[in-house]
Amino acid sequence: MKCGEIIHILEELAPTRYACAWDNVGLLLGRRDKEVRKLYLALDVTDEVLDEVIAGSYDMLVTHHPLLFRPISRINDDDYLGRWMLRLLSRDISCYALHTNFDVAPGCMGDLAAGRLGLRIQGPLEVTASDGGSTEGVGRIGSLAEEITVKELCGRVKEAFDLPYVTLYSAQEDRLAKRIAISPGSGKGMIKLAETAECDVLISGDFGHHDGIDAVASGISVINAGHYGLEHIFTDFLESYLKEKLGDGLTIAQADVLCPEKLR
């Protein structure tokens, strides 16, 4: 199967038009006419991921976070990014990224994360796109079937995303919560949006000490599940999606999620 054919299937799921303006998604390295027999899925490009891709003779690497975010002026082995690109290019390995388009697209990151917690979804947390009269965006606002304490909600998050721990910022751990905002990835910029939406709790990642304090002062509890803590669902879902679409016509494997939240 050609690389371009696989890209078409990926973009049916998460069209690039959903990507945020600052993002860099799509085919970042490689040829659309490249014959792909083996495909590898990962959250990020790392040395460990590239070792696996090269040792396994994979033809295409699909990641959530883009290898390239901003323009570069040279490609050499003086830094890690140049070394990664040289390793991929020298072996004719295509590299494709689905980032904020996957975060935003219906049925993808936002809906998957909310679904794991059993939320009744009411809409995006941050509207970033309008498509055919409907609004799409990053994160989701939803409600639980019944009120539970924020401490109990922490337990649900850990169980739903297979996490060893989360960090709770709340005035009271027995505070009741029902209206929930969830935003996989970095949630620093989502606190005000969750407050405006009158959510009881914001579940996301990358919160610092003062972010948590500020959220509590504004009347919201925050559950910091880590950046990868919520996003690691990307690879499992994408492997299932591609196998459903392609059957046995392609060998697909995925990287282990070695997120800092699990390295304890």
Side-chain angles (χ1 to χ4, degrees):
M1 175 171 285
K2 300 294 186 183
C3 175
E5 295 175 291
I6 297 171
I7 289 172
H8 178 73
I9 292 169
L10 292 171
E11 293 181 358
E12 283 183 331
L13 172 71
T16 56
R17 68 178 181 275
Y18 285 138
C20 295
W22 51 262
D23 203 4
N24 190 31
V25 303
L27 183 62
L28 305 183
L29 287 177
R31 300 181 291 112
R32 291 181 184 270
D33 64 351
K34 163 78 176 180
E35 188 68 31
V36 177
R37 296 180 177 85
K38 299 181 70 177
L39 183 147
Y40 197 86
L41 304 171
L43 281 171
D44 292 279
V45 177
T46 65
D47 285 315
E48 293 78 13
V49 164
L50 290 184
D51 288 344
E52 291 285 334
V53 169
I54 292 168
S57 299
Y58 287 90
D59 305 297
M60 185 174 182
L61 171 61
V62 177
T63 65
H64 181 47
H65 296 124
L67 169 66
L68 296 169
F69 254 122
R70 52 188 62 87
I72 59 174
S73 57
R74 64 193 68 194
I75 302 172
N76 58 42
D77 62 356
D78 287 343
D79 59 39
Y80 69 90
L81 181 56
R83 290 192 294 272
W84 289 348
M85 293 175 67
L86 287 170
R87 294 184 75 185
L88 289 164
L89 290 169
S90 66
R91 292 165 177 85
D92 194 21
I93 299 169
S94 299
C95 186
Y96 185 92
L98 301 94
H99 190 211
T100 52
N101 52 323
F102 185 83
D103 292 336
V104 170
C108 292
M109 190 73 84
D111 289 331
L112 292 170
R116 287 205 173 201
L117 292 178
L119 297 181
R120 298 170 179 170
I121 298 172
Q122 298 167 6
L125 177 58
E126 180 184 17
V127 175
T128 60
S130 179
D131 192 24
S134 65
T135 55
E136 307 295 346
V138 177
R140 295 294 183 266
I141 298 169
S143 61
L144 297 166
E146 58 185 17
E147 287 185 323
I148 61 174
T149 68
V150 290
K151 183 177 180 179
E152 290 172 322
L153 183 56
C154 286
R156 288 196 186 184
V157 172
K158 289 194 293 181
E159 181 179 3
F161 293 91
D162 189 27
L163 301 175
Y165 71 95
V166 296
T167 302
L168 172 65
Y169 296 92
S170 182
Q172 297 175 310
E173 65 178 20
D174 60 351
R175 178 189 177 191
L176 293 175
K178 186 172 184 179
R179 186 169 171 82
I180 311 298
I182 186 166
S183 185
S186 181
K188 290 182 179 182
M190 298 296 189
I191 294 173
K192 187 64 179 179
L193 291 168
E195 179 188 1
T196 300
E198 298 182 340
C199 294
D200 302 310
V201 179
L202 169 61
I203 305 166
S204 192
D206 288 352
F207 295 106
H209 174 73
H210 293 289
D211 301 314
I213 289 176
D214 292 346
V216 172
S218 68
I220 298 172
S221 296
V222 164
I223 296 176
N224 186 353
H227 194 117
Y228 285 152
L230 301 180
E231 287 191 335
H232 69 78
I233 60 179
F234 167 82
T235 51
D236 273 344
F237 171 79
L238 204 56
E239 181 174 357
S240 297
Y241 171 79
L242 288 172
K243 285 182 175 178
E244 179 182 340
K245 290 289 185 179
L246 302 174
D248 298 327
L250 198 67
T251 297
I252 302 173
Q254 58 173 287
D256 291 332
V257 180
L258 298 177
C259 59
E261 293 81 6
K262 290 195 172 186
L263 298 181
R264 282 168 59 91

